[in-house]
Amino acid sequence: MPGSVALASAVLSALLALAAPTLTPKHEAGYCAFYGECGRNPEVNMSLVPSNVPCLSNTPARVATGALLALLRTVCPELVQENATTRVCCSLAQLGALQLSVALSGTVLSRCPACARNFANLYCNNICSPNQSLFTNVTRIVNRTTALGKPQLAVVEYQCFYQQDFADASFTSCRGVRLPATGGYAIDTMCGRYGARLCTTQRWLDFQGDKNNGLAPLQIDFQLVPNGTQPGDAIVPLAGQAWRCDQALSPQEQPCSCQDCADSCPPVTAPPGPPPPFRLGNADGALVLCGLLFGLLALIFIVALLCRRWCRRRRSKKDATPQPAPTRATGCSARLGDTSHRVLARAFCRWGTLVAGHPVVVLVVVVVVAGGLSAGLVTLRLTTDPVELWSAPGSRARQEKAFYDQHFGPFLRTNQVIVTAPGRPSSGYESVVFGAKNFSGVLSEEVLQALLELQEQLAATTAWAPASGREVTLSDVCYAPLNPTDPGLGDCCVNSVTQYFQNNGSRLAATATQTEGKETGTVDWRDHLIYCVNSPLSFKDITALELSCMAEYGGPVFPYIAFGGYPGSEYTEAEALIITYSLNNFPRDDPRHEWVLSWERRFLEVVGDFQRTHSSNLSVTFMSERSLEDEINRTTGEDIPVFAISYLVVFAYIALALGEYTAWRRVLVESKVTLALGGIAVVLGAVFASMGFLALVGLPSSLIILEVVPFLVLAVGADNIFIFVQEYQQSQRELGETQEQHIGRVLAQVAPSMLLCSLSEVICFLLGALSSMPAVRTFALTAALAIAFDFLLQMSGFVALLALDARRQEAGRFDLCCCCGMGKGGPTGPGARLLRPLLHRYYTPLLLHRLARPVVVLLFLFLACAGLYLMLQVPVGLDQELAMPKDSYMLQYFAALNRYLAVGVPTYFVTTGGYNFSSAAGTNGICSSAGCDADSLTNTIQYATRFPNVSYLAIPATSWVDDFLDWLNPTGRCCRIHRIGNLTGEFCPSTSNDPTCLGGQCLNVTRRPTVEEFERFLPWFLHDLPTLQCAKGGLGAYDTAVSMDANGTILASRFMAYQRPLHTSQEYTAALRAARALAEEITTTLRQVPGTDPDFRVFPYTVTYVYYEQYLTVVAEGVITLALCLVPTFVVSFLLLGMDLRSSAATLLTIAMILVDTVGAMALWGVPYNAVALINLVAAVGISVEFVSHITCAFAHSTKPSRVERAAEATVNMGSKVVAGVAMTNLPGIVVLAFAKAQLIQIFFFRLNLIITLVGLAHGLIFLPVLLSYVGPRPRMPAGDTPGDTNGDTAAGAEQGAGLALSNPGFEDKEKEKEKATVPGQG
């Protein structure tokens, strides 16, 4: 330690030897080094605040009296000797200039009284201390002559010696002071090229003494003397006690706040982060529990199976007498079920006979009714606005958005360009001012010139707005914060790296010669850029270029907005340059909305041309506010042919598969193309009628409804068509039965099952319409109405079409051309069959084998438990990238955005009406400067930014209250009033030198304004243009942040913070949740302020919240919606199956397992869960009903003696129809959707619908028959009540085919052999 002190002393002595000691020969107390003013410094070419340099005067200090002493009490109270004569080394003119300088710094430092006082003390001692010569050594002077011819020696450079610990303490008190308007630090503006991050005491003082900074009138060489070191030559370093930032200057004052002084902060406990994953030991807890659940269920099943077999063997040994087959239960519920079934069958039989007898009349009525309802489509409104689709009008986010838009206008529109130079090498630069720096490949003059040309082209471009009939320029739509009423092109808020040169090509190309010490070199755009990225608020750099860093529109360009992909704070190594145009937003019914859309369209064209022109050396990605909606609409239009082909494939399948052929020569007669097309027309008629009816009642539709509802209704409708037609084909007309009676009898057999499914689906979707999401609600209503109409039209129109087709076929007339034919007669037996024989001969015996059934149950139990685990792994949300087609330019932009952007979107904390900002308590509850509450709004937000991984906030909130208080500070010249003259009582701007403003500070002392002062001065502040003399003016930063009524009452205000970069929808959702929790905490605190309305609240708002709010509740809402959909399925099945609890429970269980396995498969195939997925899952319930209910209904009404035989019969008879009508109808159309361009269609319509169809088919055709074979209800006796029924009908039906006309290549005209019954054994 002694050695280091000695070394420091030697260095300082050498510095003194190099200086000119004769300029300050006397270093002793009571002597000055300079005094008075000697004009301007001839070595300073440009000064932002012109001031004079002192005159050389190594003379005794002067006595301060009169005006000088009075002003000294105000500016430098520490130098006033109350009990002795006060001496100073400054004149009144010098002290006045010092007052102006202190006022400039006080504007940004006054929020921390200790810092402001310490900073002022440094300069008070430098200029006015009576012991000035002790720590000052003049090193350079120039000769000058006054206007009167008097020679003077003007000081242009001097050394100033400070004791190290004193200087460090002063610097430490100021390093944490914030700039509320930017969220950054005041030291950023006071440390030159180093900024707050790299600033030190020496660098801080060096910048203050740099004559090139635009503020210092001369060069000051600050020397920090280590403690215990003596510089020599009688110099004594300035020392003293600096105020700590956590100290109050007096009992009446407050220490600096926590936001400005870390030492003032109370202990802050880190908020709890997200809960850790649930684990049991080292294993995934959910996986272990699902494994245990499977083990428990498997054990219960195996034990139950063994007990059943043991009981059966015991009974067989005890009583070897054969038992008759169990008969139908005679309980009340069974009798009620049989009665209801007979009533339904009789009603449908009579109805079918009636319709078949008058088909033309029925068809005319159907066409008129369906056509009339479909005519409502002319009034159809398609909703494309994502906000209207996914956010309920009464939701919190929508209400908050409406409040925000009402008081502050819609959120600004962003248009952005991100430019990189892949493969372009970086280069080194040796700056004469800043030393060695590395510049990335994209930071070259060639690239900057190209970007400047792009911005000049965009500034000059115009766009035609057809509806308004005018050309639109950038100035018509741009956000101009400092000139909002009549903006020019230069007033538009454009943030880019070229704005450091005010988008001026000449300034970008400028060079200058500069000498630093003994080194002389050339400075250019790189030196200016290095300076500006570290001091973006500077009006003048320290290079010989003497350029401003402020943008052309008058605001700062923060480097984290203009650069991307840089390490730490090395902005010159950025991989990307970002250009951001901020445009005004307007309501959709405002004519200016078309203006901004037109200009954005032109923006995309110009930047697209720029991208193509520079594709060889630059990578250019871009977007506009309209891009997302444009791209979605574009791909929707491009994918319409894919949907059309998908529907055509489905139509072709139905048309071909519906027929049953017995011979080649009868193909044209037995074809069912016309009937199939009629059935399709019935389905489409139901869809159009439902949409038309809802359009007539004013309910808008959406593209997702047009894409999903037809598929859903087609699956339901086609299933019913196949069941009805194939049952009719298999059924033989009885003796003496007319064709109309035959159709009525067949309808009586199948209609109860169709009613069961349709009624379950209709009630399911009606309950799904209780969802709060508009798109889900509209979809559910449309689907419910469409399925209801489809059932009604099938019971009328399609029955009539079948009757006409039956007459045609009986008459031997050709399909599609009924005028021709081959006459009556021909084979009357069943046609060629493929699917049903396979099910009967091979599939059912294997499935229901006594060894296979336990395996099936265990397998599906495993799948259910696995699906339950995988459900927890499904990501919730919808990333923006998935909404784009794979060929969209937006995908490149999103990739660049996620990779390069250094800061997230702004988040506003909005206060509603009912809070008294003007009271002292109200002000202290908001602000963050000295005297403010520790738990104030801005302090609470600042605490949250310390934990960005939990709060998702990166930059503290800007605060108009804090800057308003600083603006009122009487030490500055921001708030002044004309004292005399015509303008008495009016506001006097800081740039005015009008004598009537002298001494006209709004407040005489630093204090909180009264209520009257607050309400009077606030409008002045909000419309005061920020200048160098008063950087705290509110115009631009805050003029739109406060909404007041005509009486000056604050209706709303906002405080802007910034989120950290967010990349996924899960992060956006978590950020919303965290911001709301923070706002609730603030609300609770502020409601305790006296006079606050109980309904007052604070809420967070950003443009993304309205989209991501749904993900806060979509899981719970999905569970509730799907549960509500399952309830009617059970209830309707229970009632229509004669209160059959077992069959209804089996139906419910199977559909629930389908949903669980579907969601689990979503995790395996990368399908996220969101509102689009929820719509498909609601539709999945309807499709699952088709897979399950028909087979359950057939099982319940089977008359076979055992459960296994009844399950086999239901699988063979109804399973073939379900496969043909549901699975095979869906699959061809779904496969075609794999070729769609839109990723949304590929993921949510191809993948998810394929999962739904395959999982539903597997459960309906594999699991359900096995389940019913174990737990199905007791067998029933033949009812025999249906007209024309015989006890052999079921057996006959089992013998007859449900052919798909896909086997029997020869179409031989011969009678088929009867199939031998091969019913699997009971187990």
Side-chain angles (χ1 to χ4, degrees):
M1 183 67 182
S4 63
V5 172
L7 178 62
S9 299
V11 172
L12 290 170
S13 299
L15 289 172
L16 288 172
L18 291 173
T22 56
L23 297 180
T24 312
K26 185 174 290 189
H27 296 287
E28 61 181 77
Y31 274 75
C32 304
F34 43 75
Y35 180 83
E37 293 186 337
C38 276
R40 302 292 173 83
N41 188 346
E43 298 179 354
V44 176
N45 298 323
M46 189 185 81
S47 179
L48 299 173
V49 182
S51 56
N52 297 322
V53 296
C55 301
L56 183 67
S57 179
N58 194 201
T59 58
R62 281 70 168 172
V63 176
T65 59
L68 177 61
L69 182 60
L71 187 58
L72 190 69
R73 292 182 186 277
T74 301
V75 181
C76 304
E78 282 81 359
L79 297 181
V80 177
Q81 303 295 321
E82 296 295 346
N83 300 320
T85 301
T86 299
R87 296 180 180 274
V88 292
C89 287
C90 59
S91 64
L92 182 61
Q94 282 181 288
L95 188 58
L98 176 61
Q99 182 186 33
L100 175 61
S101 178
V102 170
L104 288 177
S105 61
T107 305
V108 295
L109 299 179
S110 61
R111 56 184 283 111
C112 179
C115 166
R117 189 69 260 153
N118 289 335
F119 188 80
N121 279 346
L122 293 179
Y123 283 92
C124 283
N125 280 287
N126 282 3
I127 305 301
C128 294
S129 171
N131 303 318
Q132 186 186 69
S133 65
L134 280 177
F135 55 86
T136 301
N137 188 53
V138 178
T139 56
R140 209 155 51 86
I141 58 174
V142 294
N143 294 310
R144 70 179 298 272
T145 303
T146 66
L148 299 176
K150 181 181 178 181
Q152 289 181 324
L153 297 177
V155 178
V156 294
E157 184 174 352
Y158 67 88
Q159 292 175 321
C160 191
F161 294 84
Y162 288 168
Q163 191 168 303
Q164 181 79 51
D165 57 353
F166 170 69
D168 286 344
S170 299
F171 171 71
T172 302
S173 69
C174 292
R175 71 181 308 164
V177 178
R178 292 275 186 175
L179 280 178
T182 67
Y185 294 93
I187 211 76
D188 273 321
T189 67
M190 304 174 71
C191 209
R193 64 182 182 267
Y194 296 106
R197 189 175 67 90
L198 300 176
C199 197
T200 63
T201 305
Q202 185 68 63
R203 290 170 176 174
W204 178 55
L205 292 172
D206 286 346
F207 179 76
Q208 312 308 314
D210 191 340
K211 66 182 180 183
N212 296 315
N213 65 13
L215 297 173
L218 76 169
Q219 188 72 30
I220 307 174
D221 181 15
F222 287 98
Q223 299 292 327
L224 302 186
V225 181
N227 301 336
T229 301
Q230 296 299 324
D233 199 22
I235 290 180
V236 179
L238 179 64
Q241 182 177 4
W243 296 96
R244 296 198 318 271
C245 60
D246 60 342
Q247 283 183 308
L249 302 185
S250 69
Q252 293 75 34
E253 298 182 81
Q254 298 289 331
C256 304
S257 70
C258 172
Q259 192 169 98
D260 300 313
C261 174
D263 293 336
S264 295
C265 293
V268 178
T269 305
F278 171 58
R279 305 193 70 82
L280 292 174
N282 294 325
D284 187 327
L287 181 61
V288 172
L289 291 182
C290 289
L292 292 175
L293 177 62
F294 169 70
L296 177 63
L297 294 176
L299 179 63
I300 292 173
F301 170 72
I302 293 172
V303 170
L305 195 61
L306 293 175
C307 290
R308 180 183 177 186
R309 291 194 175 184
W310 180 77
C311 293
R312 181 179 300 165
R313 289 177 181 175
R314 187 174 180 183
R315 282 199 306 268
S316 62
K317 291 179 180 179
K318 186 176 181 180
D319 187 3
T321 305
Q323 299 294 322
T327 59
R328 180 182 55 186
T330 57
C332 178
S333 62
R335 291 195 299 270
L336 182 61
D338 289 340
T339 302
S340 63
H341 181 71
R342 285 195 299 270
V343 169
L344 283 175
R346 188 177 296 114
F348 280 119
C349 180
R350 292 175 178 174
W351 171 255
T353 303
L354 177 64
V355 171
H358 307 85
V360 176
V361 175
V362 172
L363 284 175
V364 170
V365 173
V366 166
V367 169
V368 170
V369 173
L373 292 175
S374 300
L377 289 173
V378 298
T379 65
L380 181 68
R381 291 184 298 112
L382 280 182
T383 301
T384 58
D385 185 356
V387 175
E388 298 291 337
L389 280 175
W390 306 115
S391 183
S395 69
R396 177 176 171 181
R398 285 287 293 277
Q399 291 177 341
E400 291 171 349
K401 180 181 185 300
F403 182 91
Y404 183 93
D405 291 350
Q406 176 188 352
H407 293 284
F408 309 110
F411 213 84
L412 293 176
R413 300 176 70 91
T414 299
N415 295 258
Q416 201 164 65
V417 183
I418 301 177
V419 179
T420 59
R424 194 182 185 110
S426 60
S427 60
Y429 176 62
E430 192 68 34
S431 170
V432 68
V433 181
F434 306 107
K437 281 287 183 180
N438 189 47
F439 277 71
S440 65
V442 76
L443 267 175
S444 67
E445 186 173 2
E446 176 190 352
V447 175
L448 296 186
Q449 287 288 1
L451 296 185
L452 187 57
E453 292 172 5
L454 171 63
Q455 292 171 82
E456 289 172 347
Q457 186 178 358
L458 287 170
T461 194
T462 60
W464 177 253
S468 302
R470 56 160 291 177
E471 294 284 346
V472 178
T473 65
L474 175 60
S475 59
D476 291 326
V477 296
C478 74
Y479 169 60
L482 298 180
N483 187 14
T485 55
D486 186 24
L489 288 174
D491 296 317
C492 293
C493 180
V494 180
N495 285 291
S496 70
V497 63
T498 55
Q499 282 283 29
Y500 289 127
F501 307 89
Q502 297 76 51
N503 277 352
N504 186 301
S506 299
R507 294 176 183 174
L508 178 62
T511 60
T513 301
Q514 181 158 343
T515 300
E516 284 288 314
K518 295 182 179 180
E519 184 179 357
T520 299
T522 300
V523 292
D524 59 14
W525 64 271
R526 289 170 289 192
D527 298 270
H528 180 65
L529 184 65
I530 294 170
Y531 180 83
C532 289
V533 296
N534 289 292
S535 188
L537 295 169
S538 296
F539 287 89
K540 178 178 177 289
D541 68 17
I542 62 173
T543 72
L545 295 170
E546 296 183 340
L547 298 177
S548 171
C549 295
M550 304 297 280
E552 183 182 14
Y553 70 89
V557 178
F558 295 107
Y560 53 77
I561 294 177
F563 297 89
Y566 47 84
S569 295
E570 297 296 332
Y571 299 109
T572 59
E573 298 180 21
E575 297 179 34
L577 303 180
I578 304 171
I579 305 174
T580 305
Y581 283 78
S582 297
L583 306 183
N584 288 317
N585 208 346
F586 307 99
R588 289 179 178 260
D589 56 355
D590 190 316
R592 292 173 296 176
H593 184 69
E594 185 209 11
W595 297 4
V596 72
L597 289 180
S598 301
W599 194 88
E600 286 180 348
R601 182 181 64 249
R602 182 62 184 148
F603 168 86
L604 294 174
E605 294 170 357
V606 171
V607 180
D609 292 340
F610 178 82
Q611 180 192 51
R612 289 185 287 273
T613 302
H614 296 274
S615 59
S616 60
N617 60 339
L618 296 177
S619 173
V620 181
T621 63
F622 56 95
M623 62 80 69
S624 74
E625 193 74 22
R626 64 175 293 162
S627 294
L628 197 64
E629 192 168 338
D630 281 353
E631 286 296 278
I632 292 175
N633 292 338
R634 175 180 70 86
T635 52
T636 300
E638 291 178 352
D639 284 332
I640 286 178
V642 176
F643 274 94
I645 294 173
S646 175
Y647 284 121
L648 288 176
V649 169
V650 173
F651 295 165
Y653 163 76
I654 295 174
L656 293 175
L658 204 57
E660 185 180 50
Y661 308 102
T662 58
W664 277 108
R665 61 187 180 85
R666 292 186 58 82
V667 166
L668 294 179
V669 174
E670 295 172 341
S671 169
K672 300 291 183 186
V673 174
T674 304
L675 181 61
L677 293 177
I680 293 169
V682 165
V683 172
L684 295 180
V687 174
F688 293 151
S690 62
M691 294 177 65
F693 175 77
L694 293 176
L696 287 174
V697 299
L699 190 69
S701 189
S702 63
L703 291 174
I704 195 169
I705 291 175
L706 299 181
E707 293 163 348
V708 178
V709 170
F711 260 114
L712 172 65
V713 181
L714 194 60
V716 175
D719 188 30
N720 290 342
I721 289 172
F722 272 91
I723 291 173
F724 187 24
V725 172
Q726 290 187 359
E727 187 68 26
Y728 177 77
Q729 291 170 339
Q730 295 167 15
S731 175
Q732 298 296 321
R733 192 185 305 177
E734 295 180 353
L735 186 64
E737 188 178 45
T738 65
Q739 187 182 73
E740 290 76 11
Q741 291 173 333
H742 183 199
I743 292 174
R745 176 168 57 83
V746 172
L747 185 65
Q749 294 172 359
V750 299
S753 175
M754 295 163 62
L755 175 64
L756 167 64
C757 293
S758 299
L759 188 58
S760 299
E761 290 158 358
V762 168
I763 299 176
C764 161
F765 288 122
L766 287 176
L767 291 175
L770 298 175
S771 171
S772 63
M773 293 183 189
V776 177
R777 182 172 61 251
T778 306
F779 162 77
L781 284 174
T782 306
L785 205 56
I787 291 174
F789 283 161
D790 180 59
F791 177 77
L792 296 176
L793 292 180
Q794 285 182 332
M795 292 297 103
S796 53
F798 189 73
V799 172
L801 288 172
L802 180 64
L804 292 175
D805 187 73
R807 294 180 186 180
R808 174 198 62 78
Q809 186 172 352
E810 190 172 294
R813 297 186 178 276
F814 293 155
D815 191 20
L816 295 176
C817 185
C818 57
C819 299
C820 305
M822 56 186 300
K824 295 184 178 182
T828 58
R833 301 178 298 275
L834 174 64
L835 185 58
R836 189 176 182 281
L838 286 176
L839 293 177
H840 183 70
R841 294 176 181 174
Y842 305 108
Y843 177 77
T844 304
L846 177 62
L847 176 67
L848 297 177
H849 191 277
R850 64 185 183 86
L851 296 180
R853 288 189 297 151
V855 174
V856 168
V857 172
L858 292 175
L859 174 63
F860 276 82
L861 285 177
F862 172 79
L863 291 176
C865 294
L868 196 61
Y869 170 73
L870 292 173
M871 281 177 63
L872 304 176
Q873 318 306 317
V874 177
V876 177
L878 177 63
D879 293 335
Q880 295 180 94
E881 293 86 342
L882 294 182
M884 298 291 100
K886 291 183 177 179
D887 62 347
S888 173
Y889 65 90
M890 288 290 289
L891 291 180
Q892 299 174 359
Y893 170 77
F894 286 136
L897 187 72
N898 292 334
R899 179 176 178 181
Y900 299 120
L901 202 67
V903 70
V905 296
T907 297
Y908 293 95
F909 287 84
V910 182
T911 65
T912 62
Y915 186 81
N916 187 4
F917 287 88
S918 59
S919 69
T923 300
N924 292 337
I926 299 293
C927 63
S928 59
S929 55
C932 301
D933 296 339
D935 56 356
S936 68
L937 180 146
T938 45
N939 275 332
T940 302
I941 296 173
Q942 194 267 338
Y943 296 150
T945 59
R946 297 184 184 182
F947 310 98
N949 290 334
V950 177
S951 69
Y952 295 89
L953 296 176
I955 298 178
T958 60
S959 170
W960 62 266
V961 175
D962 285 277
D963 277 339
F964 177 49
L965 295 177
D966 294 342
W967 184 81
L968 288 172
N969 193 299
T971 61
R973 52 185 287 139
C974 292
C975 187
R976 298 186 301 163
I977 305 172
H978 288 279
R979 300 182 66 184
I980 57 175
N982 296 331
L983 299 176
T984 302
E986 296 295 321
F987 174 63
C988 178
S990 59
T991 53
S992 173
N993 292 318
D994 192 328
T996 64
C997 301
L998 292 177
Q1001 271 68 21
C1002 297
L1003 301 181
N1004 295 324
V1005 295
T1006 302
R1007 59 175 174 81
R1008 295 288 187 260
T1010 64
V1011 174
E1012 293 76 15
E1013 291 169 338
F1014 191 101
E1015 294 175 352
R1016 179 187 180 190
F1017 300 144
L1018 180 60
W1020 293 359
F1021 161 73
L1022 294 176
H1023 296 93
D1024 185 23
L1025 182 69
T1027 62
L1028 184 64
Q1029 291 77 16
C1030 177
K1032 293 289 185 174
L1035 182 64
Y1038 301 121
D1039 57 309
T1040 58
V1042 183
S1043 175
M1044 296 185 290
D1045 62 13
N1047 298 322
T1049 302
I1050 296 178
L1051 304 176
S1053 69
R1054 64 183 184 184
F1055 302 83
M1056 182 179 72
Y1058 276 93
Q1059 292 177 344
R1060 66 176 178 84
L1062 305 176
H1063 302 129
T1064 65
S1065 57
Q1066 289 79 27
E1067 288 185 341
Y1068 278 104
T1069 306
L1072 168 59
R1073 185 182 293 109
R1076 283 188 171 175
L1078 184 63
E1080 290 296 332
E1081 178 185 347
I1082 296 171
T1083 300
T1084 302
T1085 301
L1086 295 186
R1087 282 180 178 174
Q1088 297 173 5
V1089 174
T1092 303
D1093 191 301
D1095 294 329
F1096 164 82
R1097 70 187 186 95
V1098 177
F1099 65 85
Y1101 177 77
T1102 193
V1103 67
T1104 59
Y1105 285 172
V1106 74
Y1107 304 108
Y1108 290 100
E1109 184 191 40
Q1110 57 178 302
Y1111 302 127
L1112 296 177
T1113 58
V1114 71
V1115 173
E1117 185 157 345
V1119 171
I1120 293 172
T1121 301
L1122 294 175
L1124 288 175
C1125 286
L1126 292 175
V1127 170
T1129 304
F1130 174 79
V1131 173
V1132 173
S1133 299
F1134 182 68
L1135 294 177
L1136 294 186
L1137 293 178
M1139 299 186 181
D1140 185 348
L1141 183 60
R1142 290 190 176 191
S1143 297
S1144 304
T1147 300
L1148 180 65
L1149 175 63
T1150 306
I1151 295 175
M1153 290 176 66
I1154 292 174
L1155 288 177
V1156 169
D1157 288 350
T1158 297
V1159 177
M1162 287 168 58
L1164 295 177
W1165 208 356
V1167 181
Y1169 174 75
N1170 47 52
V1172 182
L1174 176 57
I1175 287 177
N1176 281 278
L1177 290 175
V1178 173
V1181 176
I1183 294 175
S1184 300
V1185 169
E1186 294 294 322
F1187 279 120
V1188 173
S1189 294
H1190 288 300
I1191 295 177
T1192 305
C1193 189
F1195 179 92
H1197 293 101
S1198 172
T1199 58
K1200 293 292 183 179
S1202 70
R1203 290 192 181 103
V1204 174
E1205 291 174 300
R1206 292 160 62 212
E1209 183 183 56
T1211 303
V1212 171
N1213 286 348
M1214 196 58 73
S1216 61
K1217 300 180 180 69
V1218 168
V1219 172
V1222 183
M1224 295 306 297
T1225 300
N1226 279 4
L1227 286 175
I1230 291 172
V1231 170
V1232 174
L1233 295 181
F1235 300 97
K1237 287 186 177 181
Q1239 295 186 84
L1240 277 179
I1241 294 176
Q1242 292 182 5
I1243 293 173
F1244 296 103
F1245 296 98
F1246 165 63
R1247 293 186 191 177
L1248 189 49
N1249 279 303
L1250 185 60
I1251 291 172
I1252 291 169
T1253 302
L1254 295 180
V1255 171
L1257 180 63
H1259 282 76
L1261 214 60
I1262 301 175
F1263 176 72
L1264 181 61
V1266 173
L1267 179 65
L1268 291 173
S1269 72
Y1270 280 121
V1271 300
R1274 291 181 179 182
R1276 299 177 181 271
M1277 296 294 290
D1281 289 326
T1282 303
D1285 248 359
T1286 67
N1287 290 342
D1289 278 343
T1290 304
E1295 299 287 329
Q1296 295 164 358
L1300 289 174
L1302 299 177
S1303 65
N1304 191 4
F1307 289 95
E1308 299 166 350
D1309 189 10
K1310 62 180 182 179
E1311 185 176 353
K1312 300 280 292 178
E1313 284 185 22
K1314 284 199 170 185
E1315 299 167 356
K1316 296 181 180 180
T1318 55
V1319 179
Q1322 302 175 33

